């Protein structure tokens, strides 16, 4: 972060490919790498209205092929979700009764109810990525 050195080394008790992935995520979080899907998510708590951690993990795998920079917020409740969503290309906030608010470019867009969130978000992210690519 201070410009000292030019390498990064991550050691995990996992496959070497995971070390590379984690290294890229660290660089993204520091604003030193702007490539692919950057997901901002919340930790699990009693307010979450869907399985945030599972959703994020599965989406990260499904969207690994995207290189266009895009930011997505996946927040399980309406307490913190709207604030995070205003700063992302795509946002979702969990709501009651399996009803969730979708944000596009920081603005409320639509409500989804009883949908397969992973597939819905994957399709939405891929569509938005194509829009970003065409506008550049």
């Amino acid at each position: 972060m201070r410009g000292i050195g030019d390498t990064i080394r991550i050691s995990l008790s996992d496959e070497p490919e995971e070390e590379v992935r984690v290294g890229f995520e660290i660089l993204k979080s520091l604003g030193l790498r702007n490539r692919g899907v950057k997901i901002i998510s919340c930790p699990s708590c009693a307010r979450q209205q869907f399985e945030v951690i599972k959703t994020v993990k599965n989406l990260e795998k499904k969207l690994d092929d995207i290189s266009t920079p895009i930011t997505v917020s996946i927040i399980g409740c309406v307490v913190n979700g709207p604030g995070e969503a205003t700063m992302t290309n795509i946002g979702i906030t969990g709501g009651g009764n399996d009803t969730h608010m979708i944000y596009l470019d920081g603005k409320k867009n639509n409500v989804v109810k009883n949908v397969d969130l992973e597939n819905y978000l994957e399709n939405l992210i891929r569509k938005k990525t194509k829009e970003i690519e065409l506008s550049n």
Side-chain angles (χ1 to χ4, degrees):
M1 185 72 176
R2 293 184 181 156
I4 302 169
D6 60 356
T7 62
I8 185 169
R9 174 71 171 121
I10 308 298
S11 296
L12 302 175
S13 296
D14 205 339
E15 298 298 321
E17 295 82 8
E18 284 302 303
E19 294 174 350
V20 172
R21 191 187 65 73
V22 169
F24 285 151
E25 291 301 318
I26 290 171
L27 293 174
K28 270 199 248 182
S29 71
L30 293 171
L32 299 174
R33 179 183 170 96
N34 194 20
R35 181 180 186 275
V37 180
K38 179 180 179 183
I39 297 178
I40 299 165
S41 63
C42 60
S44 61
C45 76
R47 292 190 307 250
Q48 76 177 10
Q49 297 296 315
F50 62 93
E51 295 182 52
V52 173
I53 294 170
K54 177 183 165 211
T55 301
V56 169
K57 284 183 178 185
N58 290 340
L59 280 173
E60 285 176 335
K61 288 178 187 167
K62 290 180 177 184
L63 301 170
D64 191 39
D65 62 303
I66 294 176
S67 60
T68 303
I70 185 169
T71 306
V72 177
S73 62
I74 301 176
I75 309 296
C77 73
V78 296
V79 174
N80 298 315
E84 293 290 345
T86 62
M87 298 179 279
T88 59
N89 298 106
I90 295 175
I92 181 169
T93 60
N97 300 321
D98 203 24
T99 302
H100 313 292
M101 178 60 72
I102 302 296
Y103 294 76
L104 294 178
D105 297 320
K107 294 178 178 58
K108 287 183 182 179
N109 185 270
N110 65 298
V111 173
V112 293
K113 186 170 179 66
N114 298 320
V115 297
D116 176 349
L117 281 181
E118 284 178 28
N119 286 331
Y120 178 85
L121 289 171
E122 179 186 7
N123 291 333
L124 190 60
I125 292 165
R126 289 188 183 283
K127 180 180 174 189
K128 184 66 177 172
T129 299
K130 287 180 182 169
E131 288 175 16
I132 292 169
E133 289 170 356
L134 290 174
S135 70
N136 289 336

